[in-house]
Amino acid sequence: MSLFQHNFFDEYPHKCELVFMILLAFISITIYQIVPNLDLVVSNYFFNFDTQTWFINEDTNIFAKVHSQVFSKYLYLFIAVLLGLIFIYSFFDKDIKRKRNKLLFYLIAFGLSPVIFTAVSKYYYQRPRPYIIQQYNPDYQQQNQQNQQNQSQSKNQNTKHIFEYVPAFETSKQCEIHNCSGRDTKSFFSGHTSRMAAFIIFIWFLTGSARFIAYNIFYALLLLTMFFRISTGNHFLSDCLVSFYITYFSIWLIQFIFYKFNINIK
C-alpha cells in the first residue's frame, strides 16, 4: 500500500515538501560530517571577541526576552487553550469523531518531539550551550577555578563550569565530571525551535491562499526563532536544524500511523 494513497499524502505540494526536506536533511548531515566545526564558524559571526558579548543579549534585548519567555512559558498555555476550544467545538459538530481524532493528533504531535524528544536528546547528548564553552570564555581556566572554590564553599550554590566544544551528533561525557545538572546548560537540541516547528500541523489542514500565507508566516517565525537562539549563544546552528527536522519527520510519521489505522483527521 502506497504511503501517498491517503488524501493528505496525495496532495502534490506535500509530497514535494517531504522529498525536499529529506534531501535538505541529508545535505545538512553530509556537510556536518565534512565540516564538524561548522557550528563554531556560524556562532563566531554572532560573538564579539573584543567585548566578549553575543550579538543579542537576552537579558537586555526586549524582543529576545519576550520571545524566550513566550516559547518557554506561555506557548503551551496557548496550545492548551486552543486545543480546549477545538474540543469544545467538537460537541457542536456532526462529525464529532473526526474532530476528536484531530485533537488527538495535535496532542501527540505537540507532545512527542517538542517535549519527549527534546528531553531525551538533552539527557543523552548533554551538549554544552555555546555561551558556556571555552571558545567564548577566553579566561575559562580562571572561571573554572573560581567556580570550584565557590562550590566547595557552598554546596547549594549553582555554579557553571566552562566546557569544551562538542561537535554535532556527538555525546558529551563532561557532565560525568562536572556539574551540569538541569536543562539550562544542555544545548542539543533546541526546544524553542521544535515547539515552533510543530505549528506546521495547523498549516497542513489549510487550503488555497490561506495555506500560502500561513506557510510564509510560519517559516519567517521559524527562521526568527533560530536567529534568536543562535545570536544569544543559547544554541548552535545544528541544534536548531536537527530539532526542526526531527519535529517535521515525526509529525509525518504520526500522520502515517493514523492513516495505517484508518483514523480520519482530515
Side-chain angles (χ1 to χ4, degrees):
M1 187 175 292
S2 172
L3 172 66
F4 300 109
Q5 285 183 353
H6 186 266
N7 54 5
F8 173 82
F9 297 115
D10 278 334
E11 296 182 13
Y12 183 74
H14 289 299
K15 290 194 290 185
C16 290
E17 183 186 66
L18 177 60
V19 173
F20 175 75
M21 288 300 175
I22 293 174
L23 180 61
L24 196 62
F26 175 78
I27 293 174
S28 300
I29 294 174
T30 303
I31 292 175
Y32 270 97
Q33 293 298 319
I34 298 173
V35 189
N37 290 334
L38 179 60
D39 280 330
L40 288 178
V41 175
V42 175
S43 293
N44 285 346
Y45 284 102
F46 297 97
F47 186 78
N48 190 321
F49 288 91
D50 294 328
T51 60
Q52 299 297 305
T53 56
W54 288 93
F55 181 76
I56 294 179
N57 189 326
E58 200 171 37
D59 296 325
T60 59
N61 188 289
I62 185 64
F63 295 104
K65 196 169 186 177
V66 169
H67 177 270
S68 179
Q69 291 296 315
V70 166
F71 275 81
S72 60
K73 293 183 179 180
Y74 303 111
L75 181 62
Y76 274 95
L77 177 61
F78 167 76
I79 295 173
V81 172
L82 181 62
L83 296 181
L85 292 175
I86 295 175
F87 179 74
I88 295 173
Y89 172 72
S90 67
F91 286 100
F92 301 94
D93 192 276
K94 293 182 179 180
D95 194 1
I96 186 172
K97 186 176 181 180
R98 180 175 60 86
K99 293 295 184 188
R100 297 285 176 81
N101 291 341
K102 184 178 289 189
L103 178 62
L104 177 62
F105 169 69
Y106 288 153
L107 289 172
I108 296 175
F110 274 103
L112 187 61
S113 183
V115 178
I116 299 175
F117 285 172
T118 299
V120 171
S121 67
K122 285 181 181 291
Y123 175 81
Y124 178 75
Y125 287 99
Q126 299 188 0
R127 187 188 196 188
R129 294 185 185 271
Y131 70 84
I132 55 171
I133 65 172
Q134 297 174 3
Q135 283 79 358
Y136 305 116
N137 293 272
D139 55 344
Y140 68 91
Q141 291 181 338
Q142 182 180 352
Q143 291 185 48
N144 285 343
Q145 185 177 3
Q146 182 66 36
N147 288 341
Q148 290 175 359
Q149 292 176 355
N150 292 339
Q151 262 191 326
S152 62
Q153 293 173 3
S154 176
K155 293 183 179 180
N156 296 325
Q157 188 170 352
N158 185 20
T159 58
K160 292 181 180 179
H161 185 87
I162 305 303
F163 297 90
E164 297 177 4
Y165 169 71
V166 179
F169 312 110
E170 291 187 13
T171 57
S172 173
K173 302 296 182 181
Q174 298 175 79
C175 287
E176 297 178 1
I177 304 173
H178 305 288
N179 178 30
C180 59
S181 59
R183 293 174 59 186
D184 182 59
T185 58
K186 301 183 180 74
S187 180
F188 192 82
F189 52 71
S190 170
H192 286 69
T193 305
S194 182
R195 288 188 283 272
M196 183 66 236
F199 274 91
I200 199 172
I201 62 177
F202 294 112
I203 302 174
W204 284 351
F205 293 104
L206 298 177
T207 57
S209 59
R211 177 186 291 179
F212 176 78
I213 295 172
Y215 258 122
N216 283 276
I217 295 175
F218 167 76
Y219 280 109
L221 292 175
L222 180 67
L223 290 174
L224 184 63
T225 300
M226 292 182 178
F227 170 75
F228 275 129
R229 301 313 289 165
I230 298 171
S231 62
T232 54
N234 281 288
H235 285 288
F236 294 106
L237 174 62
S238 61
D239 300 333
C240 298
L241 290 177
V242 171
S243 63
F244 170 69
Y245 292 142
I246 294 296
T247 303
Y248 180 86
F249 293 130
S250 65
I251 293 176
W252 263 96
L253 177 61
I254 297 169
Q255 282 265 21
F256 179 64
I257 292 175
F258 272 59
Y259 157 67
K260 293 294 287 185
F261 285 91
N262 295 319
I263 302 176
N264 182 24
I265 57 176
K266 188 69 176 174

